Amino acid sequence: HVQLVESGGGSVQAGGSLRLSCTASGYTSSSFCMGWYRQTPGKERERVASIIPVANDTYYSDAVKGRFTISQDSGKSTLYLQMNDLKAEDTAMYFCAAASGRPRVCGRSLGDYSYWGQGTQVTVS
């Protein structure tokens, strides 16, 4: 049974930083993609960043490139998202996602990810 649990969200002023964590249980493969998505009310969930840990192959959306960093601590089975220089438009619910279908591929669609966390709220004012 795979479980993803996010933490680290909160309220911060513009220009500040937060680090989100996603602890995975029952999921240990470093060959599969893991990612962070975010969603605001009335909008589709969008991919923020993703990583293929075994290759350290990363992706960032244009909106966060240069400000956010995705990383994984395989020993702790934890995925991180370091968010710097936060902006009001970064306000959203952030979700951790993990794939299990195709190794070394980070899909673009939500259906490419088999497992999701419950989300953690980030509010930037």
Side-chain angles (χ1 to χ4, degrees), residues 3-5 21-30 34 53 71-80 96:
Q3 188 174 18
L4 304 178
V5 179
S21 299
C22 171
T23 301
S25 58
Y27 182 91
T28 58
S29 176
S30 62
M34 295 190 74
S71 62
Q72 191 218 33
D73 183 335
S74 59
K76 297 181 180 179
S77 297
T78 302
L79 183 73
Y80 299 101
C96 173

Side-chain angles (χ1 to χ4, degrees), residues 4-52:
L4 304 178
V5 179
E6 302 98 334
S7 61
S11 297
V12 64
Q13 291 188 339
S17 299
L18 284 174
R19 188 176 79 156
L20 304 184
S21 299
C22 171
T23 301
S25 58
Y27 182 91
T28 58
S29 176
S30 62
S31 296
F32 291 102
C33 185
M34 295 190 74
W36 288 97
Y37 277 71
R38 67 186 182 187
Q39 188 172 24
T40 54
K43 293 189 176 181
E44 291 187 358
R45 196 170 294 189
E46 64 172 356
R47 183 170 53 148
V48 173
S50 58
I51 185 170
I52 300 172

